[in-house]
Amino acid sequence: MAHDPLAHVRDLFDLDDDVVYLDGNSLGAPPKAVAGRVRDVVERQWGRRLIRSWSEGWWEAPERVGNRIGRLVGAAPGQVVVADSTSVNLFKALMAAVRNTDRSEIVVDAGTFPTDGYIARSVAELTGLALRPAPPEELDLRDTTAVVLLNHVDYRTGRLLDMAALTRQAHEVGAKVVWDLCHSAGVLPIELDALEVDLAVGCTYKFLNGGPGSPAFLYVPRNAQHAFEQPLTGWTGHEVPFAMSAEYTPDPGVSRARVGTPDILSMLALDAALDVWDDVSLADVRAKGLALTGHFMRLVEGLPGIGVLTPSDEWRGHQVSLRHPDARRLVEELAERQVLGDHRPPDVLRFGFAPLYNTFDEAERAAAILKELL
């Protein structure tokens, strides 16, 4: 294959060379620096500094780490905070988007990731708004639409949505848009500020490699922060948390999106994991991701019983989804041969390609073993 400008980044990850790991869209591989950093947090920051560490960087970690993620999603400093889970952040975002609205419906991507649908339904039930699922190509937005919830990349097929066009479509009818970036943050160039996105959420344990259960992030643009009234008014979102006031006054900035005490162990593991992005160009990441997924699709097209679900053009994320009636069995047998992908019922095999550590040789090895099994 052509020269790979990201080849050296693989050395920053703790990976076994005999394992082809193609499940970074579910759980990213661990960067080597994480273990040592967590050891320092446990043994020195917590073990020796004890309570003093809260005033030595712990308290500000949600905003500081948020700014590091902001650089990867096109957000200027002060607009991304790391806290809680994707589901919790999505609840905050949707509730804030529909607060005091005179509109009557929430529109959600009909093929959305299940938790997005569950949370959207809860918000609809709590607010009395109607919930209307719709395919992204047939949203049929109206002057009754309060907010639209969309997945940037479809978790089953890997289809990439046009964030610019769909955001514009929502704004044309006066609706807000909330984007779920779980399958695009860390692999696609995203321009939240430039596209005037209203709100966005995303996880950090997939392509951002933060580790299992690492805290999620929430984007609130600066010009909307004063009006961001979230439903979970926890103490760390207070303007002066340690005043211990009986009355809640939200922080004037993005910190108002915080709720409870931050998970420091996971937060600082994520902080260490983000070091691999230093001096990495997202343009290079995108170019390699398209090349990797395209190469793999060409290798598996035409294999017995295999159908390719992922778009062949540039409107795809960095995963390849295949359809086969024995998908579960194939994923299990691939794992026995040291090729790790995953299965989505009833018949989908998914292979996530993380350009920071996956190689063209691995794509070829995975395709060759799949061919043998078929």
Side-chain angles (χ1 to χ4, degrees):
M1 301 301 295
H3 171 66
D4 178 3
L6 301 175
H8 66 286
V9 182
R10 181 184 170 90
D11 293 335
L12 301 178
F13 287 85
D14 188 9
L15 287 165
D16 294 328
D17 288 335
D18 62 339
V19 174
V20 178
Y21 188 62
L22 300 179
D23 208 6
N25 54 329
S26 291
L27 176 65
K32 292 176 180 176
V34 171
R37 190 79 61 86
V38 171
R39 189 177 304 112
D40 176 72
V41 173
V42 172
E43 295 179 356
R44 182 183 65 82
Q45 297 181 36
W46 179 18
R48 303 275 71 80
R49 299 303 295 162
L50 297 166
I51 194 71
R52 291 172 289 189
S53 285
W54 279 112
S55 59
E56 295 172 352
W58 283 4
W59 187 261
E60 300 81 13
E63 292 82 7
R64 177 170 53 80
V65 180
N67 285 337
R68 301 190 74 185
I69 293 174
R71 182 181 74 84
L72 303 177
V73 296
Q79 300 180 108
V80 176
V81 67
V82 174
D84 306 307
S85 67
T86 305
S87 298
V88 171
N89 285 337
L90 188 57
F91 179 72
K92 298 177 198 174
L94 287 176
M95 287 294 288
V98 302
R99 186 182 289 270
N100 300 320
T101 186
D102 58 358
R103 298 187 172 214
S104 59
E105 71 169 8
I106 299 169
V107 175
V108 61
D109 181 346
T112 191
F113 189 79
T115 197
D116 294 46
Y118 303 155
I119 295 294
R121 182 165 299 281
S122 292
V123 171
E125 291 171 351
L126 287 168
T127 60
L129 274 67
L131 180 66
R132 180 167 62 84
E137 61 275 12
E138 299 175 8
L139 291 176
D140 187 24
L141 303 182
R142 312 154 187 173
D143 59 9
T144 56
T145 305
V147 64
V148 187
L149 171 60
L150 296 166
N151 297 94
H152 196 196
V153 173
D154 186 290
Y155 80 102
R156 285 184 180 273
T157 67
R159 179 178 67 155
L160 170 65
L161 296 186
D162 188 336
M163 183 180 288
L166 290 168
T167 298
R168 185 167 55 250
Q169 183 180 343
H171 289 171
E172 285 173 352
V173 298
K176 295 179 180 177
V177 63
V178 176
W179 283 96
D180 181 331
L181 308 179
C182 285
H183 288 85
S184 58
V187 284
L188 302 178
I190 301 169
E191 297 295 340
L192 295 179
D193 285 354
L195 299 181
E196 299 182 348
V197 167
D198 297 289
L199 296 160
V201 302
C203 67
T204 63
Y205 51 79
K206 299 182 189 296
F207 291 118
L208 292 177
N209 311 300
S214 58
F217 65 90
L218 172 60
Y219 164 80
V220 185
R222 190 176 304 279
N223 62 8
Q225 289 171 6
H226 69 284
F228 182 80
E229 298 182 29
Q230 62 130 322
L232 303 175
T233 49
W235 78 292
T236 69
H238 196 284
E239 182 179 32
V240 189
F242 291 95
M244 302 300 173
S245 170
E247 301 299 323
Y248 183 80
T249 304
D251 184 273
V254 75
S255 296
R256 65 172 52 205
R258 291 173 61 165
V259 181
T261 306
D263 185 339
I264 291 299
L265 297 182
S266 289
M267 181 81 65
L268 298 187
L270 168 62
D271 192 24
L274 291 172
D275 287 351
V276 300
W277 291 96
D278 292 346
D279 303 318
V280 166
S281 163
L282 277 169
D284 288 341
V285 173
R286 178 58 171 159
K288 182 178 176 182
L290 284 172
L292 274 170
T293 51
H295 186 53
F296 183 71
M297 283 193 286
R298 287 188 292 272
L299 292 170
V300 299
E301 282 176 338
L303 292 182
I306 288 290
V308 180
L309 295 177
T310 302
S312 59
D313 58 19
E314 72 275 12
W315 290 103
R316 65 175 184 268
H318 290 188
Q319 75 180 56
V320 176
S321 295
L322 308 178
R323 175 165 281 156
H324 191 280
D326 289 329
R328 179 183 292 277
R329 175 184 62 81
L330 286 171
V331 167
E332 291 172 352
E333 292 183 358
L334 283 165
E336 292 173 1
R337 302 282 294 274
Q338 301 299 305
V339 176
L340 303 182
D342 70 9
H343 164 250
R344 287 293 177 267
D347 59 357
V348 175
L349 303 85
R350 296 194 317 168
F351 301 94
F353 288 84
L356 295 191
Y357 53 79
N358 285 135
T359 68
F360 291 94
D361 176 68
E362 288 178 324
E364 292 167 3
R365 286 163 59 191
I369 292 173
L370 178 60
K371 182 177 180 180
E372 289 178 13
L373 293 176
L374 290 169

